[in-house]
Each structure stands twice: as structure tokens, then as C-alpha cells.
Amino acid sequence: MLTKHKISAYTISEMIVVLIITSIVVGMAFSVLRMVQKHMNSIQHNLEKTTELNKLEQSLWLDFNRHSKIEYDTIEDELVFSSEIDTISYRFSETYIIKDIDTFNIPLKNKTFFFDGTEVPNDVIDALKIETSKVFQNQQLFVFKQNDATLFMN
């Protein structure tokens, strides 16, 4: 006697539907992954730019408050800090700023120099305002020095 047992199995059309749905889900997962990677890269890029600007600001603050005399030379496009001990200079370019052996890759849009609250084109200064380019989201950096009587006596 032969008995017929029905074997439970999936049909080929059911398998194709499962494969199509799986491929759609995997495709969506990869597109979301790509968007997350782009977002992470942009966050890292912005962090690098902010860090570079913060390094420049910290360096300028230290030099402004360490040195007794600060001069800007328009011909050389150079900011010179001098004291009895040493001299440090910052050279400005359109795409970077060089301080001795350090290079700050910050493109500048505008730089303004001040002495005693008044804008001056060159010579002795006590404050500096830097505006970055669009690459750095047009951020502004303002650095100043508290003047003492010795600056006005000389």
C-alpha cells in the first residue's frame, strides 16, 4: 500500500518574492549607510577646520600677551611680535598663515588692525580682527592686548 504524504515546501514564486524583498531592504540599508558616512565625513571636516582656527586663536592670544611690541607691515603683509627676549612673525597669504615653522591653513577674507580702539592700516597695533573665507563659514576672530603705560611712554 502506497500512502501519499504531502511535503510542505515553498513554491518558486514565494522564493522569488522573498529574494526581491530582501534585496530591497539590503539596498535601503546600503543607501542609509552611505548617507551616514557622508554625514560623518562632513562632521570630521568641520571639526578639523574649527580646530585649526582655535589653534590660530590660541597662538595669537599667547603672542599678543607675551610680547611688548606688536607691529604690522603692509608691504610684507607680516605681523611682528617683539620683546626683549625674542621676535615672532606671522606672514599672511590668501590661503594660509605662517608663524615661524607652523602653518595655519586658513583662507582669509579680511584682516583689520587696531590701536587704542581705532583702526590703523599699519605700524604699532594692539588688536586684530580676522574674517575667514566662506570655506570656514565666514567666522571672525578678534584678539587684543591690554595696554600698559610702557607702550604709551615709548
Side-chain angles (χ1 to χ4, degrees), residues 129-152:
K129 178 181 174 185
I130 294 176
E131 295 177 56
T132 62
S133 69
K134 193 174 184 180
V135 175
F136 276 76
Q137 296 137 359
N138 297 324
Q139 293 186 24
Q140 294 185 358
L141 178 68
F142 187 76
V143 183
F144 63 94
K145 175 184 177 150
Q146 293 285 343
N147 290 328
D148 55 2
T150 58
L151 180 67
F152 297 106

Side-chain angles (χ1 to χ4, degrees), residues 42-154:
S42 66
I43 289 172
Q44 182 179 0
H45 193 61
N46 285 340
L47 178 65
E48 289 170 359
K49 288 180 182 179
T50 303
T51 303
E52 189 76 11
L53 193 61
N54 287 341
K55 282 196 258 180
L56 174 63
E57 181 179 21
Q58 185 178 20
S59 178
L60 283 170
W61 274 109
L62 289 172
D63 289 334
F64 259 84
N65 291 301
R66 263 189 206 152
H67 296 87
S68 56
K69 187 175 181 183
I70 308 164
E71 294 181 300
Y72 176 69
D73 182 8
T74 54
I75 297 170
E76 296 291 325
D77 203 10
E78 183 176 30
L79 185 61
V80 179
F81 296 88
S82 56
S83 66
E84 296 79 20
I85 301 169
D86 67 344
T87 300
I88 295 175
S89 67
Y90 288 77
R91 288 190 174 268
F92 295 97
S93 171
E94 289 184 15
T95 56
Y96 55 86
I97 300 168
I98 298 175
K99 173 194 173 187
D100 296 332
I101 60 170
D102 297 329
T103 301
F104 302 99
N105 293 316
I106 300 174
L108 298 180
K109 182 178 174 183
N110 190 16
K111 54 189 175 298
T112 311
F113 302 97
F114 299 92
F115 181 72
D116 202 23
T118 307
E119 187 176 330
V120 293
N122 60 358
D123 204 23
V124 177
I125 66 165
D126 63 359
L128 166 67
K129 178 181 174 185
I130 294 176
E131 295 177 56
T132 62
S133 69
K134 193 174 184 180
V135 175
F136 276 76
Q137 296 137 359
N138 297 324
Q139 293 186 24
Q140 294 185 358
L141 178 68
F142 187 76
V143 183
F144 63 94
K145 175 184 177 150
Q146 293 285 343
N147 290 328
D148 55 2
T150 58
L151 180 67
F152 297 106
M153 290 172 55
N154 293 331

Side-chain angles (χ1 to χ4, degrees), residues 18-28:
V18 168
L19 287 174
I20 289 172
I21 291 173
T22 303
S23 64
I24 289 171
V25 169
V26 169
M28 289 172 43

